[in-house]
Amino acid sequence: MKRAWKGLLMLSVAFIFPTVLLADSFTMEDVVRSIDTMWTLLAAFLVFFMQAGFALVEAGFTRSKNTVNIIMKNFTDFLVGSILYWLVGFTIMFGLGNAFIGWQGSFEYLGLNIPLNAFLIFQTVFAATAATIVSGTMAERTKFTGYLIYSVFISAFIYPIVGHWIWGGGWLSDMVDFAGSTVVHSVGGWAALMGTMVLGPRTGKYRSDGTPNKIPGHSLVLAALGVFILWFGWFGFNPGSTISGLNLKIADIAMTTNLAAASGGLGALTIGWFIYKKPDVNSTLNGVLAGLVGITAGTASVTNVGAAIIGALSGSLVVLAIEFFDKIHIDDPVGAISVHGVGGAFGTLMVGIFAVDGGLLYGGGVNLFLTQLKGVLAVAGWTLATTYILFKSIDLTIGLRIDSTSEIEGLDFVEHGSVSYPDLTPLKGRSVRVKIDEEGE
């Protein structure tokens, strides 16, 4: 039976890749390596497409006068991240070194069954995801040059350090974070928190008595499409982290990923309906994302039931977290701090409860939970400290925030000399300055 299975597999690969038939010789190991490589590359391409999802979510949840700026930030995250992660970040993250940082460009110890470049491009798109999370939170009031400097440092140093601690054999390698609830998402979420704290809220966001104004985004259609794209891309994010197309665990991971997303949306819908007295679309969209972020750490470690519970709790929590940050005047136009920072930390902790191997509910005691807690706190401390220093340094030198007049006119024309909707936007020389009163109208 085993010999027949191998023969069928080789015949299938030869049918899909006819060039194999022309090779002088190939082994079963070559076939397996080819399948694993193709799977990893496919997953990387799906994660890359998530950049489009982030751009659409952020653009939809913000005002039309800042859409070009959102697009540019999402592009430059990947432009800068691709180069700097290749030059510096990948070695810091996966190179040989000590428990804190890698520095030697020798990666044989990883024991990869795929070409190094396949693994590198897969990790590159993860790095870009961590960087771009901040874009929406700091939207509508950030200088493009300041944001560009931030992208350099998070891609080259801040994110790779965390990756080395957990995925590169560092001092947190005993924690479970399969696809990056903490490594990727909470890093982006905590960086976003520091960015918006240094920036301050948007003009007109809070009344003189401190109560928040609702500043609606210009297109929920774009935001919803972005969430669907991110949901689709997550099937590369989580199952792709096996870096093996022959690991049948990818089916389980795909299922837990989908269940968490669906239950996250339902959890947020329920809580949002209770709070706002109507089925709120913003809450539901962020609930789906929170469910996806929450399951990412334990997607390979929990059952379908565990995934549904983690997703529902993550989706419910994100609505409450968004309300909390709004009340303390943390202005986050897209809810990224709550989705990625809070959701990433919460999902990582839930591994200690719901993991079949070592989880509290499965007789594993509290050891795994404490390990997860140590990792969450360490990453939060590192990211909050380094990004605060980074953003504060930018603010004290070249300046992080645009002036109030430019903010009211919109970043598109002021920062980029362009607009996304020319038929609806006044041109240069005829620009209309919109005054926002205390009521935000």
Side-chain angles (χ1 to χ4, degrees):
M1 178 65 71
K2 185 175 181 180
R3 183 177 300 175
W5 178 84
K6 287 184 177 180
L8 181 61
L9 177 60
M10 295 171 72
L11 181 62
S12 300
V13 172
F15 178 75
I16 298 172
F17 306 106
T19 53
V20 172
L21 295 173
L22 303 178
D24 294 333
S25 63
F26 67 98
T27 64
M28 190 64 193
E29 288 72 23
D30 295 328
V31 174
V32 170
R33 192 164 188 256
S34 296
I35 292 174
D36 289 348
T37 300
M38 291 300 296
W39 168 250
T40 302
L41 291 176
L42 175 61
F45 303 154
L46 286 172
V47 178
F48 167 74
F49 192 44
M50 290 172 71
Q51 290 291 122
F54 279 115
L56 291 175
V57 169
E58 293 164 13
F61 277 153
T62 54
R63 288 168 288 186
S64 60
K65 63 184 179 179
N66 300 304
T67 305
V68 170
N69 183 255
I70 292 288
I71 294 169
M72 283 297 295
K73 288 192 293 185
N74 278 271
F75 263 100
T76 52
D77 279 336
F78 197 79
L79 301 177
V80 171
S82 292
I83 301 300
L84 287 175
Y85 189 75
W86 164 60
L87 289 174
V88 181
F90 185 71
T91 299
I92 289 176
M93 191 162 171
F94 291 105
L96 292 174
N98 56 31
F100 181 79
I101 189 172
W103 62 77
Q104 297 181 28
S106 177
F107 307 102
E108 288 80 5
Y109 81 96
L110 293 172
L112 298 173
N113 191 44
I114 59 176
L116 182 62
N117 276 337
F119 186 66
L120 173 56
I121 188 61
F122 185 73
Q123 293 299 328
T124 297
V125 293
F126 270 52
T129 298
T132 203
I133 288 168
V134 178
S135 171
T137 298
M138 297 175 64
E140 304 198 300
R141 60 212 191 273
T142 306
K143 285 185 178 180
F144 182 72
T145 50
Y147 185 83
L148 193 60
I149 294 172
Y150 147 79
S151 295
V152 168
F153 280 91
I154 194 169
S155 301
F157 184 68
I158 296 172
Y159 166 78
I161 288 288
V162 173
H164 182 78
W165 291 355
I166 299 173
W167 291 344
W171 69 284
L172 294 177
S173 58
D174 55 342
M175 73 178 289
V176 178
D177 190 9
F178 183 75
S181 287
T182 287
V183 174
V184 179
H185 294 282
S186 73
V187 167
W190 301 141
L193 176 59
M194 287 297 98
T196 193
M197 287 182 67
V198 172
L199 274 175
R202 290 168 290 174
T203 299
K205 174 59 181 175
Y206 298 102
R207 302 182 181 93
S208 57
D209 62 358
T211 56
N213 285 312
K214 184 177 179 60
I215 303 179
H218 83 281
S219 176
L220 287 176
V221 173
L222 290 182
L225 178 58
V227 170
F228 275 120
I229 290 174
L230 288 171
W231 194 339
F232 176 64
W234 235 283
F235 292 120
F237 207 95
N238 285 359
S241 293
T242 60
I243 62 172
S244 172
L246 291 179
N247 184 348
L248 299 185
K249 189 71 175 176
I250 57 179
D252 297 330
I253 295 170
M255 191 63 191
T256 55
T257 299
N258 191 63
L259 283 172
S263 59
L266 287 173
L269 171 62
T270 302
I271 297 297
W273 205 332
F274 176 79
I275 293 175
Y276 308 120
K277 310 306 178 186
K278 291 183 182 294
D280 182 61
V281 63
N282 297 62
S283 300
T284 305
L285 295 178
N286 273 326
V288 170
L289 296 179
L292 289 165
V293 170
I295 196 58
T296 295
T299 183
S301 305
V302 303
T303 64
N304 289 348
V305 173
I309 295 173
I310 291 172
L313 293 175
S314 298
S316 301
L317 180 61
V318 78
V319 180
L320 301 177
I322 289 172
E323 286 292 307
F324 168 76
F325 284 119
D326 210 16
K327 282 182 172 59
I328 63 172
H329 290 197
I330 299 296
D331 182 15
D332 181 359
V334 302
I337 300 169
S338 302
V339 170
H340 299 278
V342 176
F346 178 76
T348 303
L349 293 175
M350 288 301 96
V351 176
I353 305 295
F354 291 98
V356 174
D357 184 11
L360 181 63
L361 293 181
Y362 292 84
V366 298
N367 289 337
L368 179 56
F369 181 84
L370 293 176
T371 297
Q372 300 297 97
L373 178 61
K374 178 181 70 174
V376 166
L377 294 177
V379 171
W382 163 260
T383 309
L384 291 171
T386 53
T387 54
Y388 176 78
I389 293 171
L390 174 61
F391 286 125
K392 198 65 178 178
S393 298
I394 296 171
D395 191 46
L396 293 173
T397 52
I398 67 170
L400 187 62
R401 181 168 184 149
I402 62 170
D403 61 87
S404 58
T405 300
S406 298
E407 181 184 350
I408 292 172
E409 288 186 345
L411 277 69
D412 286 3
F413 186 77
V414 174
E415 287 276 281
H416 307 284
S418 181
V419 292
S420 285
Y421 306 98
D423 293 341
L424 303 177
T425 307
L427 302 177
K428 183 179 180 181
R430 297 188 286 116
S431 60
V432 178
R433 296 185 178 182
V434 180
K435 294 182 179 180
I436 301 178
D437 63 18
E438 288 188 350
E439 298 303 315
E441 298 176 346

